[in-house]
Amino acid sequence: MESQNNTSQNAPRPSNQRGKKPKVNFTWVYVVIACVLGYLFFKGGDAGSNANSKNVPYTEFKQYVQQGYANKIVASKDEGTVKMYVKPEHIRDVFLQGVDQTGKHPYVQAEIPSADKLDEFVTSQQELGNFTGELTYKRSNDTFMQIFWNLFPLLIIIAVWIFIMRGVGHGGGISSMGNIFNVGRSRAQLVEKGSENESKVTFKDVAGQASAKQEVQEIVEFLKNPKKFTDLGGKIPKGALLVGPPGTGKTLLAKAVAGEADVPFFSMSGSDFVEMFVGVGASRVRDLFRQAKEKSPCIIFIDEIDAVGRARSRNAMMGGNDERESTLNQLLTEMDGFGTNSGVIILAATNRADILDKALLRAGRFDRQIHVDLPDLNERKAVFKVHLRPIKVDEHLDVDLLARQTPGFSGADIANVCNEAALIAARHGKGSVGKEDFLAAVDRIVGGLEKKTKVMTEEEKRTIALHEAGHATISWNLQYANPLIKVTIVPRGRALGAAWYLPEERQITTREQMLDEMCATLGGRAAEELFTGHISSGAMNDLERVTKQAYGMIAYMGMSDRLPNLCYYNNDEYSWQRPYSEATAELIDQEVKRMIAEQYDRAKKLLMEKKEGHNALAELLVEREVIYAEDVEHIFGKRPWTSRTEELLGEDPLPTTKEENEASSEQTSAS
Ligand code: ADP
Ligand code: ZN
């Protein structure tokens, strides 16, 4: 979902879509209709069973001629028929009707055994004086007409088809043929210097997102000064993927890259590629890249790339969505096709990188992923400052307070708040926008958002802080738990909060390490129980992980005292049989329960010991929303153990990998 207040996004699309609406050329429609009618008319006229004609057997035809009824005889060798026009005075004898019903020149038609026989017969009748006219033959121009009329519909279909294809294929040529003939053109919105929707967005307009900005900064450098990199033999990246929830400024960031580098910017949504016509998506991709190459260096931005980039179905038998897949294939081909240093860089946005096709993420395509997350407290303050710029605000307005009042809001939501506040103030006829207006706007937007995104109450925020602080406290105070990097209570994806750890680089894991980690994972629930007095749904993910881990340790790794050194791992996924007895199953269940209960008690005990520290940590989290290892160290003191990874990395461990340890907020359907 895109934000509502991104004005340039709502701007009219350029070139082919803007301006006067192209007319459908009706002449063609008329021609087609006329031809079809004509065809039907001619076909019908041949039938030979009208009121003024009659099909008869050959013998009857002979009788009529012998009785002297024939006025004129016309044979057609190709059709093998003969027509006998009846003398006016005998019309009633043949048709049993008057001239007014049959018309002036009625005829009877018969099939002839052969042309020679007919010739013979007519000549004999002429000699007998029964027939005074001539036998004439109708020649083959009739046949030609017949062939023509038979082929005509086909010709029309081919003509129309070629016509449409011309419109689809290259988008060139007939642009006045209406929208359906333009389906193959890319619908990209182009922002460039001097174009009417030029809006210079720079990094100044993107608040927060420091790490994302830093990463795209490099792309700006590439675009500005490609030689610097290519001279050293470096390859300019082709694409980067911006991953994050809607409204966090992915489009904005891409625009800012274009603005900073001062290059044209093509923007298109993934869903724009997909149309009900087969082949259109691929054609649009081709068109987009063709346009982009003309404007190089430039940036292509594809929003919601998951609309085309979703993983292709592995099973060809399942059918799958061929149109989407061929669009995706075309995209991949185009990305491989253009030279590395052609100066076209593709940025794509999605909020779900995990469902994308692996081929898209391969080297040389979108091999960089830039995370754009919901803003934390300080970032929200910065976003407010950006969007308060054009607003006449009350001088006593406390931006800090606004940021505090809007946990879980995205950049787009905040932009919305500012706009809404200005509207509310205007409605009340005020000279400037004050605190009450902002708070009213927040309320209104929270009301609207409640179902869509996670907006927390103070109470919830405290619970989440206690929960996350529980994880942090325990992992800090257990020797083998993963070292902590950062804890947040900013909602992210489906998680309400998260703690990031630096996983150890290790090939094997000992039982102690696993138990310590299990204890830390249970620390969230334990803290809730101890300090809020009730437990919440927020720990579901934790519990799921712990249960799986315990089951794995006992059934697969032989790590329990009562089932030592046994692995019941079943490699055959189609076998539904358990490789152990009912009694063992019960034993496994008991052991899993016991192991988890032990670790839970351990977590509770440790939390009680470190109660002050834990509560201080939770306070800090409520206040700042994000805390780092330093803050935790400040509270608990330095960890007496250094992990191997930390040793390897030296003093300042880089958060290269992050592991989420999160509290799922939603009850996933119990399937
Ligand atoms: P996305 O593409 O991630 O869905 P957009 O880039 O379309 O989000 O953001 C929508 C609007 O929200 C922007 O036009 C801008 O007004 C506002 N916005 C979002 N993030 C930020 C930010 N970090 N700083 C300033 N404004 C932001
Ligand atoms: Zn948790």
Side-chain angles (χ1 to χ4, degrees):
M1 241 164 294
E2 288 304 325
S3 83
Q4 303 83 323
N5 39 8
N6 187 353
T7 44
S8 51
Q9 200 123 63
N10 298 334
R13 301 188 173 222
S15 64
N16 56 53
Q17 288 222 307
R18 196 183 46 217
K20 51 188 179 317
K21 211 173 156 207
K23 297 191 295 270
V24 178
N25 193 335
F26 276 106
T27 330
W28 269 93
V29 180
Y30 291 143
V31 169
V32 171
I33 292 173
C35 291
V36 170
L37 287 179
Y39 173 71
L40 289 176
F41 175 76
F42 274 90
K43 209 176 144 81
D46 248 12
S49 55
N50 295 350
N52 62 351
S53 68
K54 174 164 129 179
N55 281 335
V56 295
Y58 187 59
T59 45
E60 202 177 324
F61 158 78
K62 285 208 309 204
Q63 279 172 14
Y64 289 145
V65 179
Q66 282 160 352
Q67 284 163 334
Y69 292 172
N71 200 1
K72 204 165 84 181
I73 297 176
V74 183
S76 164
K77 274 187 189 163
D78 310 295
E79 288 176 28
T81 59
V82 61
K83 285 177 186 168
M84 183 198 85
Y85 289 88
V86 182
K87 282 184 182 163
E89 61 269 31
H90 294 294
I91 288 175
R92 192 165 279 279
D93 301 324
V94 177
F95 292 95
L96 311 170
Q97 284 174 324
V99 187
D100 24 323
Q101 272 107 27
T102 59
K104 279 245 169 56
H105 303 288
Y107 59 88
V108 295
Q109 180 165 313
E111 296 203 359
I112 52 174
S114 77
D116 289 346
K117 282 256 173 69
L118 179 72
D119 215 40
E120 216 172 87
F121 169 71
V122 172
T123 318
S124 70
Q125 293 305 310
Q126 279 169 332
E127 281 164 8
L128 288 170
N130 292 335
F131 176 55
T132 48
E134 281 293 318
L135 173 65
T136 50
Y137 289 97
K138 222 161 115 190
R139 292 297 308 173
S140 60
N141 76 328
D142 211 40
T143 327
F144 171 77
M145 283 305 278
Q146 218 170 353
I147 293 173
F148 175 75
W149 285 116
N150 277 331
L151 288 182
F152 190 72
L154 196 65
L155 290 178
I156 289 188
I157 291 171
I158 292 173
V160 170
W161 183 71
I162 289 175
F163 199 67
I164 292 178
M165 275 318 170
R166 273 227 311 246
V168 172
H170 310 288
I174 324 130
S175 55
S176 63
M177 291 315 289
N179 277 336
I180 61 151
F181 295 124
N182 262 330
V183 283
R185 306 208 56 178
S186 86
R187 300 260 170 93
Q189 178 196 4
L190 172 63
V191 182
E192 62 178 333
K193 253 204 200 143
S195 79
E196 66 182 66
N197 50 8
E198 179 183 7
S199 62
K200 185 112 175 154
V201 179
T202 61
F203 284 150
K204 240 183 31 260
D205 303 295
V206 187
Q209 308 297 5
S211 66
K213 270 201 239 177
Q214 196 186 336
E215 288 197 55
V216 292
Q217 181 66 43
E218 204 170 57
I219 295 176
V220 175
E221 294 293 319
F222 284 137
L223 285 167
K224 267 186 172 163
N225 195 357
K227 250 183 121 287
K228 189 168 121 196
F229 297 91
T230 50
D231 280 355
L232 294 176
K235 276 195 189 139
I236 291 180
K238 283 184 186 173
L241 198 63
L242 299 166
V243 187
T248 44
K250 298 182 291 294
T251 315
L252 195 68
L253 205 59
K255 274 192 188 149
V257 172
E260 289 280 333
D262 207 14
V263 297
F265 176 79
F266 288 91
S267 144
M268 196 160 170
S269 170
S271 51
D272 286 349
F273 288 113
V274 186
E275 193 83 50
M276 60 181 180
F277 302 116
V278 173
V280 167
S283 153
R284 283 187 182 160
V285 171
R286 241 175 288 138
D287 191 50
L288 175 66
F289 277 80
R290 186 183 54 73
Q291 287 182 30
K293 273 182 244 173
E294 279 167 17
K295 299 257 184 209
S296 147
C298 69
I299 286 187
I300 297 179
F301 178 67
I302 304 174
D303 204 357
E304 291 170 52
I305 192 162
D306 32 311
V308 277
R310 202 165 312 148
R312 284 166 289 188
S313 48
R314 255 144 285 156
N315 190 349
M317 296 294 285
M318 295 292 277
N321 186 340
D322 287 344
E323 169 59 2
R324 188 174 56 69
E325 286 178 14
S326 68
T327 308
L328 174 59
N329 284 334
Q330 187 65 40
L331 185 65
L332 295 175
T333 316
E334 290 288 343
M335 286 193 79
D336 291 340
F338 67 84
T340 334
N341 298 327
S342 67
V344 181
I345 291 186
I346 308 157
L347 296 175
T350 177
N351 54 358
R352 300 206 48 195
D354 52 319
I355 59 166
L356 292 182
D357 200 286
K358 293 284 166 290
L360 264 179
L361 308 177
R362 217 169 283 148
R365 292 163 185 165
F366 295 108
D367 44 3
R368 296 170 174 228
Q369 285 194 22
I370 300 173
H371 286 268
V372 185
D373 286 328
L374 286 175
D376 63 32
L377 186 69
N378 281 321
E379 289 176 315
R380 287 203 301 274
K381 219 159 104 184
V383 178
F384 263 113
K385 281 187 182 145
V386 168
H387 290 283
L388 288 178
R389 263 189 235 148
I391 292 177
K392 244 167 104 185
V393 289
D394 190 81
E395 52 196 277
H396 303 299
L397 186 74
D398 181 6
V399 182
D400 218 52
L401 175 90
L402 292 183
R404 258 171 221 293
Q405 292 292 325
T406 48
F409 276 47
S410 70
D413 297 333
I414 291 176
N416 221 347
V417 167
C418 293
N419 191 45
E420 193 72 30
L423 295 182
I424 292 173
R427 209 172 298 144
H428 294 135
K430 289 195 193 167
S432 64
V433 191
K435 183 177 136 192
E436 324 75 63
D437 304 317
F438 279 101
L439 294 184
V442 169
D443 278 350
R444 172 170 293 188
I445 284 168
V446 168
L449 286 178
E450 220 138 39
K451 291 190 192 65
K452 272 196 290 172
T453 32
K454 269 144 234 120
V455 178
M456 293 180 263
T457 63
E458 278 301 311
E459 180 66 30
E460 277 171 338
K461 196 167 159 181
R462 207 179 86 85
T463 307
I464 297 165
L466 284 169
H467 177 112
E468 297 300 331
H471 290 310
T473 305
I474 292 187
S475 62
W476 193 265
N477 289 295
L478 287 180
Q479 178 168 5
Y480 299 111
N482 281 325
L484 186 88
I485 295 168
K486 162 178 158 182
V487 189
T488 96
I489 56 168
V490 178
R492 189 170 172 284
R494 290 182 47 240
L496 283 179
W500 275 267
Y501 300 96
L502 187 68
E504 299 243 24
E505 300 276 334
R506 57 191 176 203
Q507 307 301 324
I508 51 168
T509 316
T510 64
R511 184 168 134 163
E512 286 73 33
Q513 286 165 338
M514 288 190 208
L515 289 178
D516 278 4
E517 262 154 44
M518 197 180 288
C519 183
T521 313
L522 287 166
R525 161 66 59 103
E528 280 180 44
E529 191 193 323
L530 285 177
F531 304 116
T532 68
H534 39 250
I535 51 180
S536 77
S537 62
M540 197 178 99
N541 264 17
D542 294 343
L543 299 185
E544 185 190 339
R545 277 189 17 182
V546 164
T547 312
K548 279 202 185 123
Q549 172 84 328
Y551 186 81
M553 285 172 72
I554 288 158
Y556 301 155
M557 295 173 226
M559 283 186 180
S560 93
D561 299 333
R562 289 170 70 192
L563 287 164
N565 306 333
L566 283 166
C567 173
Y568 291 117
Y569 185 66
N570 190 351
N571 214 353
D572 184 2
E573 59 180 300
Y574 298 108
S575 155
W576 295 99
Q577 256 179 337
R578 283 185 310 219
Y580 42 78
S581 69
E582 203 55 49
T584 313
E586 243 166 66
L587 201 56
I588 290 175
D589 283 346
Q590 284 170 15
E591 285 294 281
V592 168
K593 275 183 207 152
R594 192 176 57 87
M595 179 180 274
I596 293 174
E598 267 175 25
Q599 293 309 318
Y600 191 63
D601 284 342
R602 187 169 164 225
K604 284 211 291 202
K605 231 168 92 203
L606 190 58
L607 279 174
M608 283 317 280
E609 270 171 39
K610 306 279 175 189
K611 194 173 163 190
E612 280 83 48
H614 171 269
N615 285 356
L617 208 57
E619 291 289 299
L620 206 61
L621 261 176
V622 170
E623 189 185 324
R624 288 211 224 137
E625 295 188 5
V626 204
I627 54 175
Y628 297 90
E630 301 90 79
D631 304 309
V632 185
E633 191 176 303
H634 198 73
I635 290 171
F636 290 115
K638 214 170 170 55
R639 284 180 97 196
W641 324 277
T642 46
S643 71
R644 200 158 63 92
T645 322
E646 276 170 313
E647 275 164 22
L648 285 175
L649 286 170
E651 275 297 288
D652 188 35
L654 284 169
T656 41
T657 333
K658 55 190 166 187
E659 187 188 337
E660 274 176 46
N661 180 10
E662 60 207 7
S664 159
S665 64
E666 285 156 22
Q667 294 283 9
T668 38
S669 59
S671 60

